[in-house]
Amino acid sequence: MSSIITLPLVKDPERLEKQLRDIPPVPGVYLMRDSQDNILYIGKSKKLRSRVRSYFRDHHHHTPRISLMVQQITEIEFIITDTEAEALALEANLVKQHQPHFNVLLKDDKKYPYLCITWSEDYPRIFITRKRRLGNLKDRYYGPYVDTRILRDTLHLVKRIFPLRQRPKPLFKDRPCLNYDIGRCPGVCQRLISPEDYRKIVQKVAMIFQGRSRELIDYLTEQMEDAAENLNFETAARIRDQIQGLKSLNAEQKVSLPDDRVSQDAIALAANTKQACIQLFQIRAGQLVGRLGFTAEVPPGLKLTEMGLILQRVLEEHYQRVDPVEIPSEVLVQYELPDESILTDWLSDRKGKKVTILTPQRQLKAELIEMVERNAKYELERVQKLSDRRTAALEDLAEILDLPDLPHRIEGYDISHIQGSDAVASRVVFIEGLPSQQYYRHYQIKNPSVQSGHSDDFASLAEVIQRRFRDYSSSTDKPDLIMIDGGKGQLSAVVAVLQEMNLLEEIRVVSLAKQREEIFLPGERLPLETDPEQPGVQLLRRLRDEAHRFAVSFHRNKRSERMKRSHLDDIPGLGHHRQKLLLAHFRSLDYIRIATPEQLAEVSGIGPKLAQQIYNYFHPSSEIV
């Protein structure tokens, strides 16, 4: 049977006109599909019919990119929404989900860090992270910030100004640490402050990262004056110190603008043919309070006149995840936005006040955009240099090893143990010369001959490689190169198992010896003649060091866990499950050792009788003879 070929709509005017007539003139989202049912483009509009019809009218006015897309459209779908704001939100979600070829796609890379406040917890944590997890909608991420040093310095100063939890875990089981005594922490670990009162402190911290420092200073000033009027001089002095700390924080800002009446965001970009670096300056009360950075893929054929598409995409993504109070009254943009009116209405609706979007051409606002653009150009140059170095390292490595192509995916393996005990292995993965931690794996060595007092790195490596590649034919993550930490012996063990699996012809494998940074190839008696400092060898060294670090950290954790359990295993009636419950509750063997029978009995599954046995084990002198 011959399959029916669907013509592009531009070559089937009758079907095109029918589809256009079916599209209503209301707000919504449209999806363009090709003959293979792939989504080419997702867009939004106040009036769907007019926007979609514009693609098929006046072809000679289209850019080459749009013309290429229109020639491939065979089907048009649409989703009606009640408002333009709903259309904007729906489009953003669909673009994230489907990643259409002709849409502007933001990269979720790990270059720029965020500050996270975990509002989902009773006592919110505040920390810096490069991973924006979207699992809990209550948690709030600020950023991504371009300047990591300023972000860390700001958080450090904030923890000196406000009493906040200073440690991720308690230092002591039954009392707070020194931070509580000197006023740095309100005693979260011992619940000496209620969740409600602690959240009030964190809300003040959040105002700083929302660009509302001046508003916070005004609020604290009122509190200080009230405390002084009520003769509560100790409280007034503490608030005075907080105000002085906040003023010193603002003094760190390097940019000050004369107009302190309007809150502004200024956004500009610099781009090459592949990617764009975007900078967004947050200006509040005449001062630069935040500098955010984004990276976007440049769609093929995108012209300079279309760069507003990228700015629009960044602004939509950014403002969807901020609190309404953080939306400024004015947004300055480098290029005109294609759907400026929709974005303006949506921002005004979210903020509850009018928001203006301007493309300044002269005077101070234009100079501000020029400054943001210069910063974006600098960032693009920096990113390009790093990319060029990685490419040079990959090219050098391909030349050293005589690879047919650049190694896109490289895997590194290492073994860690102490005289055979707690033997583990690690796999780390570099994609395009960069660590990709989502592909890292730990292995516990199962070989019964590898045990305390008897190590066998060769057998351990052979086991790990066999486990990794046993489903190689159906695997989607096939490496271009694997590197073994070791010399000829380790490499030979891996080569032997790959030969048994008939994979040696498909998988390129080398080893890197530690002492002289020598690279060995299968079947070769001598190492390759290389310079330890050349880019390709340095790349292998970074991979080897990362594999070693990852293996050692896992080995230490496993050994620590075994040492914890070694004591608990000796207590009659305390099985593996109850050991886990005890450790989960007390978090440390030391805390279990000093706990009273009553405290031990509070743990689920530990009754009074077993609690007394555990207590007696750690306090043998307390047993009744």
Side-chain angles (χ1 to χ4, degrees):
M1 293 179 62
S2 60
S3 60
I4 299 174
I5 299 176
T6 305
L7 291 173
L9 289 175
V10 291
K11 296 183 179 180
D12 193 343
E14 185 176 339
R15 193 164 63 89
L16 170 60
E17 187 58 35
K18 182 179 182 304
Q19 290 208 15
L20 293 176
R21 282 199 307 268
D22 291 341
I23 301 174
V26 295
V29 173
Y30 56 93
L31 299 85
M32 309 290 204
R33 294 183 180 271
D34 65 10
S35 59
Q36 305 298 317
D37 205 35
N38 299 314
I39 297 177
L40 298 170
Y41 185 77
I42 298 174
K44 62 182 173 300
S45 178
K46 288 183 177 181
K47 294 183 179 179
L48 281 172
R49 182 185 294 168
S50 301
R51 171 60 63 84
V52 175
R53 188 178 287 277
S54 69
Y55 286 97
F56 301 93
R57 188 193 301 133
D58 300 328
H59 290 184
H60 58 280
H61 290 309
H62 289 332
T63 63
R65 168 178 158 270
I66 297 298
S67 296
L68 178 63
M69 183 187 77
V70 170
Q71 296 298 319
Q72 301 176 50
I73 299 171
T74 60
E75 198 69 39
I76 304 168
E77 295 179 19
F78 59 88
I79 303 172
I80 296 172
T81 60
D82 291 332
T83 65
E84 295 121 29
E86 289 179 6
L88 186 148
L90 178 60
E91 181 214 30
N93 291 332
L94 290 174
V95 168
K96 285 181 193 174
Q97 179 182 348
H98 296 288
Q99 304 278 297
H101 180 67
F102 286 94
N103 278 90
V104 172
L105 304 176
L106 299 187
K107 292 182 179 178
D108 190 18
D109 54 17
K110 309 298 188 295
K111 270 206 308 285
Y112 307 124
Y114 295 85
L115 181 116
C116 178
I117 300 180
T118 58
W119 291 110
S120 59
E121 302 175 3
D122 288 343
Y123 293 93
R125 291 174 295 128
I126 306 173
F127 58 91
I128 296 171
T129 179
R130 292 182 186 270
K131 295 180 180 179
R132 187 162 63 94
R133 295 181 174 89
L134 304 178
N136 199 311
L137 298 178
K138 291 183 180 180
D139 294 344
R140 178 70 175 86
Y141 289 84
Y142 298 93
Y145 293 98
V146 174
D147 197 321
T148 306
R149 183 189 63 80
I150 289 180
L151 176 60
R152 294 188 185 281
D153 290 348
T154 300
L155 182 58
H156 178 72
L157 185 55
V158 162
K159 288 186 174 182
R160 294 177 68 90
I161 296 172
F162 296 99
L164 295 167
R165 177 166 63 178
Q166 303 288 327
R167 295 176 175 275
K169 292 183 180 180
L171 188 61
F172 305 108
K173 180 65 180 175
D174 55 352
R175 60 186 173 88
C177 65
L178 182 62
N179 285 310
Y180 175 76
D181 298 324
I182 63 176
R184 290 279 181 84
C185 173
V188 172
C189 62
Q190 304 302 319
R191 292 184 173 263
L192 301 178
I193 182 174
S194 69
E196 293 76 18
D197 289 340
Y198 187 73
R199 291 171 81 88
K200 289 177 183 178
I201 298 174
V202 178
Q203 283 167 355
K204 294 175 185 176
V205 174
M207 290 177 71
I208 297 171
F209 293 97
Q210 291 170 346
R212 301 164 62 199
S213 294
R214 174 170 288 189
E215 184 181 337
L216 178 58
I217 289 173
D218 293 342
Y219 169 75
L220 291 175
T221 301
E222 288 182 14
Q223 282 194 327
M224 179 182 68
E225 292 171 351
D226 289 343
E229 286 181 11
N230 295 323
L231 305 182
N232 193 345
F233 298 117
E234 185 178 343
T235 300
R238 176 172 51 80
I239 298 175
R240 178 204 61 202
D241 293 342
Q242 291 177 342
I243 293 171
Q244 290 175 349
L246 288 170
K247 287 181 177 178
S248 70
L249 182 64
N250 289 341
E252 292 291 319
Q253 304 299 340
K254 300 295 189 293
V255 179
S256 181
L257 300 170
D259 189 356
D260 61 357
R261 297 165 298 173
V262 180
S263 63
Q264 296 172 322
D265 279 355
I267 187 170
L269 61 79
N272 54 30
T273 56
K274 294 183 179 179
Q275 67 176 342
C277 286
I278 305 100
Q279 300 254 309
L280 190 149
F281 279 29
Q282 298 172 306
I283 297 147
R284 305 292 183 267
Q287 289 188 317
L288 175 65
V289 299
R291 185 160 69 99
L292 310 185
F294 307 86
T295 307
E297 296 178 8
V298 175
L302 192 73
K303 285 191 168 184
L304 185 64
T305 54
E306 298 178 284
M307 289 297 173
L309 282 169
I310 298 177
L311 298 181
Q312 173 112 12
R313 183 79 182 89
V314 171
L315 291 174
E316 291 171 356
E317 173 93 4
H318 172 64
Y319 290 127
Q320 276 187 336
R321 61 174 187 250
V322 304
D323 295 330
V325 71
E326 298 175 58
I327 298 174
S329 302
E330 194 172 80
V331 180
L332 308 180
V333 297
Q334 179 187 18
Y335 300 104
E336 289 187 6
L337 308 182
D339 292 306
E340 183 178 300
S341 60
I342 294 181
L343 185 58
T344 301
D345 293 344
W346 176 67
L347 290 176
S348 300
D349 184 59
R350 281 205 72 204
K351 186 175 177 64
K353 296 180 181 179
K354 182 175 176 55
V355 176
T356 306
I357 298 178
L358 299 174
T359 310
Q361 303 297 327
R362 62 174 77 107
Q363 296 180 341
L364 291 175
K365 292 178 180 178
E367 292 175 4
L368 176 58
I369 285 293
E370 288 176 4
M371 181 179 67
V372 180
E373 183 181 0
R374 285 198 304 273
N375 280 271
K377 286 179 178 177
Y378 173 79
E379 185 66 10
L380 181 65
E381 290 173 2
R382 189 183 70 83
V383 169
Q384 189 61 52
K385 286 178 182 176
L386 292 174
S387 177
D388 291 343
R389 286 179 197 163
R390 290 198 302 271
T391 302
L394 291 170
E395 289 174 346
D396 186 50
L397 184 59
E399 184 176 349
I400 291 171
L401 303 179
D402 194 25
L403 301 176
D405 299 298
L406 297 187
H408 164 72
R409 178 187 175 107
I410 312 175
E411 297 182 0
Y413 295 85
D414 191 21
I415 304 293
S416 182
H417 57 84
I418 294 180
Q419 295 181 341
S421 68
D422 304 305
V424 298
S426 68
R427 179 187 88 191
V428 300
V429 179
F430 278 23
I431 304 290
E432 306 295 358
L434 287 175
S436 293
Q437 295 187 5
Q438 67 268 35
Y439 300 116
Y440 284 21
R441 294 292 181 273
H442 284 133
Y443 298 89
Q444 295 197 48
I445 301 304
K446 299 179 180 179
N447 191 329
S449 66
V450 178
Q451 52 187 301
S452 182
H454 184 271
S455 62
D456 191 337
D457 286 1
F458 301 163
S460 298
L461 279 168
E463 175 191 327
V464 170
I465 295 300
Q466 197 278 332
R467 287 163 60 185
R468 163 66 178 98
F469 295 108
R470 60 190 167 196
D471 298 320
Y472 181 78
S473 58
S474 60
S475 174
T476 57
D477 52 356
K478 299 178 180 179
D480 301 298
L481 176 70
I482 63 174
M483 184 223 65
I484 306 301
D485 183 2
K488 289 188 292 184
Q490 285 86 348
L491 179 62
S492 298
V494 170
V495 167
V497 75
L498 289 175
Q499 283 178 327
E500 289 178 13
M501 302 172 73
N502 295 318
L503 293 176
L504 190 57
E505 297 298 321
E506 296 187 50
I507 299 176
R508 296 296 301 268
V509 56
V510 300
S511 69
L512 182 65
K514 281 189 176 72
Q515 288 186 342
R516 300 180 181 177
E517 311 294 358
E518 295 174 326
I519 301 174
F520 289 93
L521 297 180
E524 298 292 333
R525 186 172 60 87
L526 298 175
L528 294 175
E529 293 184 6
T530 57
D531 181 352
E533 300 305 316
Q534 68 184 100
V537 180
Q538 287 185 332
L539 175 59
L540 282 186
R541 284 165 58 185
R542 288 196 295 274
L543 181 73
R544 189 268 317 280
D545 293 345
E546 180 69 351
H548 181 70
R549 179 200 66 79
F550 197 52
V552 167
S553 65
F554 183 46
H555 167 74
R556 285 174 178 162
N557 290 339
K558 187 182 176 186
R559 188 176 78 242
S560 175
E561 191 69 19
R562 177 179 57 79
M563 291 175 70
K564 287 179 186 176
R565 296 193 184 282
S566 63
H567 285 286
L568 300 179
D569 284 337
D570 294 336
I571 301 174
L574 192 61
H576 179 70
H577 177 65
R578 285 173 172 169
Q579 289 179 24
K580 286 177 64 177
L581 293 174
L582 270 175
L583 289 169
H585 182 82
F586 289 99
R587 297 190 179 182
S588 166
L589 189 66
D590 292 333
Y591 288 153
I592 297 174
R593 182 181 287 111
I594 64 176
T596 64
E598 292 76 18
Q599 290 172 326
L600 291 166
E602 291 175 2
V603 179
S604 174
I606 307 292
K609 184 178 179 181
L610 182 56
Q612 188 64 50
Q613 284 183 261
I614 298 169
Y615 182 82
N616 291 342
Y617 174 81
F618 289 109
H619 305 83
S621 60
S622 66
E623 292 187 66
I624 300 175
V625 179

